[in-house]
Amino acid sequence: MQNQTSPLILTFGVLDPVGALGVQADLATFAAHGCHALSVPTALLVADSARVEEMHELDTGWMADQARVVLEDMPVAAVKIGAIASIEQAAAIAEIVSDYADVPLIVDPFLSSLPDAGMSDEDTVAAIRQILAPQATVLMLSQAELGRMAESWREPGADSSLEADVAELTGRGCQYVLVTCTQGSGNNRANTLFDRDGMVTTIDWQHLPGPFVGAGTTLSGALAALMAQGLDAPEALAAAQDYTYGALRHARRFGMGKFVPNRFHRAQALGRQ
């Protein structure tokens, strides 16, 4: 027997029966990058490939106990926080990750597949901004999600630009903010990485028709896996974007709903050679 040599990544997130979102999706993405997932569920989804019908919160005490048991047993190379279900979960996770400040923390807390993108609870959104985002190495959210979050701090008449909203988050301690689906060159979309000094890099990508479920989860999972292997955020983003685009180009439709990213497309391509 050999000791585990693959980087270990602790992921908090939902349990999705389709495997398109949450911890099952992270398990696949991490494995595709040579990493191993340690998973702590936050909620159970009632979902198919077309939509999420319901989200059932799991007990916060159980969730926190599971995370601490795992962390006391094994060293982790990165932590990813996906969708959470309550302010109590946000507080518990924030306390846990504060003990691992040297470990890259990727926070991707909103699910675009939910009707409200997971932002209906204003207290939970505020908790993410106030106690999770300041600890994040990378906070990932779409331009629309950033705008909705910013409504919680903007004063009437205040600057509502993308740069001003990002500056609020980096000024509170977040090292990087990754804003997805910004306007790229021509008809392209872009993912743009910011730090305290402003824009670090922007990566264009050609819009694919879809519709997809799990694209954002794939990107943040790949980002976590690559940073667990020692890449810094700009390098990791470039590689994660390339991987995610390939997963979308080779996406599969399992049922009558949306396309699910093929997270093992590279391994399958090698197998066909």
Side-chain angles (χ1 to χ4, degrees):
M1 295 180 65
Q2 295 181 342
N3 289 334
Q4 171 69 32
T5 57
S6 301
L8 304 176
I9 306 172
L10 179 64
T11 179
F12 295 87
V14 298
L15 288 175
D16 171 26
V18 178
L21 304 164
V23 295
Q24 291 102 321
D26 286 340
L27 187 152
T29 299
F30 297 166
H33 287 85
C35 299
H36 182 81
L38 309 173
S39 57
V40 178
T42 59
L44 303 175
L45 297 184
V46 178
D48 58 17
S49 63
R51 66 185 62 84
V52 175
E53 299 285 353
E54 298 178 53
M55 185 168 76
H56 297 279
E57 179 182 356
L58 294 179
D59 179 75
T60 297
W62 176 89
M63 180 203 72
D65 289 345
Q66 181 61 78
R68 290 206 178 276
V69 166
V70 167
L71 288 166
E72 288 168 4
D73 180 44
M74 293 167 275
V76 296
V79 175
K80 178 186 170 185
I81 301 173
I84 56 178
S86 67
I87 187 173
E88 291 80 13
Q89 286 190 352
I93 295 172
E95 181 179 356
I96 291 167
V97 298
S98 68
D99 294 333
Y100 300 87
D102 294 334
V103 175
L105 175 63
I106 291 78
V107 181
D108 177 19
F110 304 118
L111 281 180
S112 60
S113 58
L114 294 177
D116 55 18
M119 303 187 75
S120 61
D121 187 335
E122 293 182 1
D123 290 338
T124 301
V125 174
I128 291 169
R129 175 174 67 90
Q130 294 169 359
I131 62 178
L132 285 177
Q135 300 188 65
T137 309
V138 180
L139 171 64
M140 176 175 145
L141 66 178
S142 70
Q143 188 167 359
E145 290 161 356
L146 174 61
R148 290 182 64 184
M149 178 182 279
E151 292 173 2
S152 66
W153 71 69
R154 284 191 197 134
E155 297 292 336
D159 184 0
S160 60
S161 68
L162 172 65
E163 290 75 12
D165 292 341
V166 167
E168 170 71 20
L169 296 169
T170 56
R172 287 178 172 266
C174 183
Q175 187 173 351
Y176 292 98
V177 176
L178 174 58
V179 184
T180 62
C181 297
T182 58
Q183 182 61 49
S185 60
N187 294 322
N188 288 348
R189 304 288 179 86
N191 295 329
T192 305
L193 187 70
F194 298 85
D195 65 8
R196 194 176 187 121
D197 296 323
M199 188 181 77
V200 176
T201 186
T202 185
I203 302 176
D204 281 16
W205 50 276
Q206 184 181 0
H207 179 66
L208 297 172
F212 301 100
V213 57
T217 300
T218 306
L219 179 62
S220 59
L223 192 63
L226 291 157
M227 294 185 72
Q229 295 173 340
L231 274 66
D232 63 18
E235 292 176 310
L237 174 59
Q241 178 65 50
D242 181 69
Y243 165 81
T244 301
Y245 191 75
L248 296 178
R249 286 187 61 236
H250 294 87
R252 297 163 294 179
R253 176 170 271 158
F254 296 143
M256 296 180 289
K258 300 176 182 178
F259 288 94
V260 177
N262 182 355
R263 298 176 174 100
F264 293 108
H265 64 281
R266 290 176 174 170
Q268 292 167 352
L270 289 174
R272 290 192 291 270
Q273 291 179 358

